[in-house]
Amino acid sequence: MPWMKGYPYYLLLVGIISLYMGIMSYRFRRLPGRRYLWILLLLIGLALTGAAAEIMAPMFKLKLWLRNIQQIPLFLIDLFAYAAVKNYTAPSHSISRKRLALLASPIFLYFLLIFTDSYHHLMRSAVGMETVAGISGIYVKPTLLSMGLIAYDQLFSMYAAVLLLISLLRLPRERRKPHIPVLIGMLIPVACIVANPALHITLPGFTALVMLPAVVAIYFTVYRRSALNMGPSVTDYGENSASQGVAVIGPDGGIVSVNETGERLMSRVFGPVSGSWAGRSLIPYLQEHPSLLTSFNERRGGEIKLHMGENEDICWGVSLIPLGGEGFGQASMLLMLKDYSDEKRHERELKYQASMDDLTGLSNRRHFLKTFNAWKGPDGDGLAMLLMDIDDFKLVNDTYGHLAGDQALISFARKLRHLCRNGAFAGRLGGEEFALCLPASGREEAMESAEAIRHALVPHNVMLDGGRLIQLTVSIGVVYAEEPDAPFEELYRQADQALYISKTNGKNMVTMSGEFTAS
């Protein structure tokens, strides 16, 4: 067969391609279910190139040495096929290094016996050169011990194929199709291994060559679809949600699966990362939020709301939900992210509308009273309440219209707001009546402060639409209480009496009430 003349070069070419795929796949090793696949591709590539080197070697001793070297990747292929499939079917339950080392101990015994027994009496009853279709390679006849170790090794690849098939059957129908090429790629080499004793194929490199379908299936199916795995998937928990980020977190804290919205929101909440969040450990980010870390460690539900921005106008909801698993501490968790910023802004707007006067932006009567009850002045100071009323405001409305009156109120409130310093607060109690509270050490200071405020407010010039200028004055009634926790109703009653005196005695003046007494 003429094409057989190029057989070793085919092996070498396929081996180099497999090595290239393994090297390129190294960068995907952190993706869920991809932990061992890159190693598997490298081992297949090494076995193929080793087989090509054995065929092309000119001397028997060199061919034998290369045959022995080939056994290392060939035997490890089956073990890592099992590890890769195990990790692929259950990304959140990866095989530990200790367990891999334990499972590999009989294989290492096989290597040890091959390289230390010069005549191979323990492992091979006969060794020679064999030529098949013009291809020369090493022929060996294994002993019972060797066949036992080979069978032990091949069980890993058979079990891997069965595990992959069972896992595929357990998946929902809509999730099976993308995994079928991987299953076929795994079944072909397993079927060839099982059938080889009956077919008696002794062509050098055949065992490694039948791995080619697995290489193609793994690389072009698994690595071209980075989110593909058989573990818990965000497709089961609202993958298509445009407003909610969803991620499946494995028992070790690694992110098994994450939807597109989750990728975006996690970068906003926890900080940007290079590449995908899938495969990364969430533990360092959970450690910044102890309550979430506790929820994860105890495998119980938990939720926090994170406020960001200078005014805390950005709010994220971060929830952890247990998905069940192999006992306490083994369950996977569902991470859910939601942007509550719009809700918070709406809530803040409602609170503002409930506490502020729509027209002037000052506190309304209810919020002013709430502020009054919660107010704590400096130690040793009492409280001065100023009740203010714009003089002749009804005349402004009757002469210029209610829009002009509103404009006057807005302008007056803006000026009053600028006077609220050192713990003072103001509010509109209704109509053209305003109140301002401030700390004072005594009646004289309260009166001086009230006069200073009146002078600051008047004459109050208001430029109306159309360019007309009007001047407003204000009358003030003041009451002083030595105790800051004096009842509002009594303070208001006495300040109102003082204001009435200011209005009836000529307006644009300040009147101090008598000694404050709580009736």
Side-chain angles (χ1 to χ4, degrees), residues 471-502:
Q471 291 187 338
L472 301 177
T473 59
V474 62
S475 296
I476 303 177
V478 186
V479 62
Y480 172 76
E482 290 184 358
E483 297 298 329
D485 57 352
F488 174 80
E489 293 79 6
E490 188 59 29
L491 280 173
Y492 177 81
R493 185 185 65 79
Q494 295 188 28
D496 188 53
Q497 290 176 353
L499 174 62
Y500 178 76
I501 295 173
S502 294

Side-chain angles (χ1 to χ4, degrees), residues 14 17-18 21 40-41 44-45 48 185 211-220:
V14 173
I17 292 173
S18 182
M21 289 180 176
L40 181 59
L41 293 177
I44 294 172
L48 287 165
M211 301 290 178
L212 181 60
V215 173
V216 175
I218 289 171
Y219 188 81
F220 288 100

Side-chain angles (χ1 to χ4, degrees), residues 305-358:
K305 288 188 177 180
L306 302 177
H307 298 272
M308 301 179 182
E310 293 183 0
N311 300 320
E312 296 192 341
D313 52 350
I314 299 175
C315 179
W316 303 102
V318 185
S319 305
L320 280 173
I321 304 169
L323 296 179
E326 302 172 7
F328 179 83
Q330 293 298 317
S332 296
M333 304 271 302
L334 191 69
L335 175 75
M336 305 191 78
L337 300 168
K338 188 174 181 181
D339 187 354
Y340 286 104
S341 301
D342 289 340
E343 294 180 22
K344 281 293 179 183
R345 280 191 288 268
H346 181 63
E347 180 183 334
R348 196 158 46 246
E349 184 178 344
L350 290 177
K351 287 182 178 179
Y352 178 84
Q353 292 175 354
S355 61
M356 297 298 165
D357 178 62
D358 291 338

